[in-house]
Amino acid sequence: MSYNETLERQYLRSIPQQGKVEWIGIRPKRMAEVYSVSEVLANPDTGLEGDHFKKSSTGKRQVTLIQQEHLDVVARILGKSEIPPELLRRNIVVSGINLLALKHQQFQVGEVLLETTGICAPVSYTHLTLPTNREV
């Protein structure tokens, strides 16, 4: 780690960041419909109860997050008033916090301590669920 990266991390940790959970969803099976829930149990070893990533064999991730601000930008680009979060197939939508700034850091969501392990690219079939400008 370079000297500048160390200073950046120290600076980010010194600034209190308060985000808000806007939405929670679980996917019982791969490619299955995403269900909105008001709360979910999180297990540090297996992930979210009822989600298909629970006990994921790949070990890449147990929980996926996206910023509400990013959903708002996608909606504007597509000429929509909003994008339902289940279309992007993430588990938790947060607002008021920069998820990219939390790369390789631990942070708390409710009572759960999470750690960012990397960026989660859009699923390969997102283009099939999002409306295009032609459909607006």
Side-chain angles (χ1 to χ4, degrees):
M1 179 179 301
S2 74
Y3 176 74
N4 287 336
E5 288 174 316
T6 302
L7 286 178
E8 179 183 357
R9 281 190 181 190
Q10 287 176 354
Y11 180 68
L12 286 172
R13 286 190 191 121
S14 70
I15 301 172
Q17 296 185 48
Q18 285 284 24
K20 179 180 175 188
V21 173
E22 299 288 347
W23 180 88
I24 304 169
I26 57 171
R27 302 149 298 178
K29 292 182 182 178
R30 186 178 182 277
M31 297 188 69
E33 183 178 346
V34 179
Y35 294 96
S36 178
V37 295
S38 59
E39 60 183 36
V40 66
L41 291 175
N43 182 303
D45 297 319
T46 59
L48 302 179
E49 289 293 325
D51 192 70
H52 80 98
F53 269 126
K54 185 176 182 222
K55 294 185 179 179
S56 172
S57 61
T58 64
K60 287 184 187 178
R61 66 189 61 88
Q62 294 175 336
V63 180
T64 56
L65 293 92
I66 191 168
Q67 290 176 229
Q68 178 64 53
E69 294 84 355
H70 292 173
L71 290 176
D72 296 342
V73 169
V74 171
R76 280 194 298 274
I77 289 169
L78 295 175
K80 302 297 253 177
S81 60
E82 67 177 4
I83 296 293
E86 55 270 16
L87 292 181
L88 294 179
R89 309 190 61 75
R90 298 295 177 254
N91 294 119
I92 302 174
V93 177
V94 296
S95 64
I97 192 159
N98 181 351
L99 293 174
L100 291 176
L102 298 175
K103 186 176 179 184
H104 302 300
Q105 293 187 48
Q106 292 184 340
F107 58 98
Q108 194 160 342
V109 175
E111 298 174 11
V112 178
L113 184 65
L114 299 176
E115 181 177 354
T116 306
T117 57
I119 294 173
C120 184
V123 295
S124 59
Y125 52 90
T126 299
H127 67 284
L128 300 175
T129 61
L130 287 176
T132 65
N133 280 330
R134 292 181 212 119
E135 296 171 351
V136 176

